[in-house]
Amino acid sequence: MRKIWIMGILALVLVISACGTSKSGGGNASSTVVPKSEGNAAKEKMYIPIISKGFQHQFWQAVKLGAEKAAAELNVDITFEGPESEAQVDKQLEMLQVALDKKPSALGFAALDSQASIPLLKKAKDAGIPVIAFDSGVDSDIPLSTVATDNTYAAGVAADKMAELIGGEGEIAIIAHDQTSRTGIDRRDGFKNRIEEKYPNVKIVDIQYGDGDHLKSTDVAKAIMQAHPNLKGLFGTNEGSAIGIINAVTEAKVVGKVTVIGYDSGKAQIDAIKNGTMAGAISQNPVGIGYETVKAAVAATKGETIKSTIDSGFVWYDKTNIDNEDVKAVLYE
């Protein structure tokens, strides 16, 4: 009987001990859940590097503003960088490699060369990193989407304006920013093809490349005008090209004699249109390009369906509409 009583006491002690252990353990588990959850939240915040074609033009600063706006709204971390010159393809590829080494959630990329970056982009694909191309695409289906202006169509509109402004006949020339990026190729060919298809009395006498640098483009424009004294128009395919032409016609004192049409915006071009040095220009929507790039990258990371191309639109602006609210919304200084 005494033995049975002792065993009962021991069982009761074990039950009480077990209850105490369970309560204590639950308290510890609860206290470790919060910091663990916070740590996961920090690790799960997306990191998306955005690599542009450059950084020196106001256009890229506007793209950066749009990207930062989307990053703030979607609570993701981004970096925004680009080479000092739009001719530095090797430098941009180095930036792309460094970005991939950081194992980002996704990647935004504006290619200086539509083919040179493909091996690195294959690495991104193999690592499961979604790639969103912006401004300039690549000759590959690796980017899940490309956010850009329909540059071929927009350059065709610029060609229509040029033909109209020079009276449908005469010699003109093109200064493109490069012959490797998708934007350089599409804007040059969109303008050239429209002239050749619709305006038989307008002759393109020269196509040169200024690397998007306004100083080099100035020299190129001067050389073209010297070689073709009857030149009636010049088309610049980006901000640097257009500013170079503006400088050249000003220094050569042929403002009003040579019709200047450009691409993109920026204070120098806006001033040139207002003072009559430039007839007009195509402006993309750079803030929208940056915003839509980050938005698409986040959606791709979540496995959501996105369009293969996202048209960010464009406007033609000249002295007649430069102060309109819908035009001012896409211009940048």
Side-chain angles (χ1 to χ4, degrees), residues 3 13 15 48 55 76 84-85 96-97 111 119 125 155 159 177 184-185 199-200 208 222 232 276 304 326 331:
K3 185 177 180 181
V13 170
V15 168
I48 303 171
F55 212 75
V76 299
E84 294 178 358
S85 162
L96 179 57
Q97 179 64 67
K125 182 179 180 181
H177 49 287
I185 295 168
Y199 307 102
Q208 295 291 332
K222 287 179 179 177
K232 295 181 71 174
E304 298 173 2
D326 56 337
L331 301 184

Side-chain angles (χ1 to χ4, degrees), residues 39-210:
N40 286 341
K43 291 177 181 177
E44 290 171 359
K45 189 172 184 180
M46 294 183 190
Y47 165 59
I48 303 171
I50 307 295
I51 301 175
S52 70
K53 292 168 64 177
F55 212 75
Q56 74 276 39
H57 292 157
Q58 291 166 331
F59 174 83
W60 297 115
Q61 297 298 322
V63 175
K64 180 172 180 282
L65 285 176
E68 290 174 339
K69 182 174 186 293
E73 290 180 5
L74 299 171
N75 192 32
V76 299
D77 288 330
I78 68 166
T79 52
F80 193 100
E81 59 184 330
E84 294 178 358
S85 162
E86 295 187 17
Q88 293 179 306
V89 176
D90 290 345
K91 180 67 175 178
Q92 191 190 43
L93 295 179
E94 289 177 13
M95 291 177 170
L96 179 57
Q97 179 64 67
V98 171
L100 293 176
D101 290 343
K102 295 178 181 176
K103 298 179 172 55
S105 307
L107 174 72
F109 185 63
L112 278 172
D113 189 306
S114 60
Q115 296 187 358
S117 60
I118 291 176
L120 287 176
L121 295 182
K122 285 182 178 176
K123 286 187 178 180
K125 182 179 180 181
D126 292 343
I129 300 170
V131 177
I132 305 298
F134 67 98
D135 184 67
S136 280
V138 295
D139 295 333
S140 165
D141 60 359
I142 293 175
L144 299 178
S145 183
T146 299
V147 183
T149 301
D150 183 344
N151 284 297
T152 301
Y153 179 74
V157 171
D160 289 336
K161 295 291 184 181
M162 177 67 82
E164 176 186 341
L165 290 168
I166 65 172
E169 61 180 9
E171 297 179 347
I172 62 173
I174 301 170
I175 297 180
H177 49 287
D178 63 57
Q179 48 189 332
T180 57
S181 72
R182 204 59 260 168
T183 56
I185 295 168
D186 290 346
R187 293 175 194 173
R188 177 198 64 195
D189 292 350
F191 185 92
K192 175 177 176 290
N193 293 340
R194 180 68 65 87
I195 290 293
E196 292 176 348
E197 291 166 1
K198 288 188 62 178
Y199 307 102
N201 296 323
V202 178
K203 183 180 180 181
I204 298 175
V205 295
D206 204 353
I207 300 175
Q208 295 291 332
Y209 302 89

Side-chain angles (χ1 to χ4, degrees), residues 14 29 83 120 123 152 190 199 219-220 228 241 269 281 288 322 328:
L14 289 172
L120 287 176
K123 286 187 178 180
T152 301
Y199 307 102
D219 292 338
V220 170
H228 303 278
S241 307
Q269 292 191 75
I322 196 169
K328 289 168 65 175

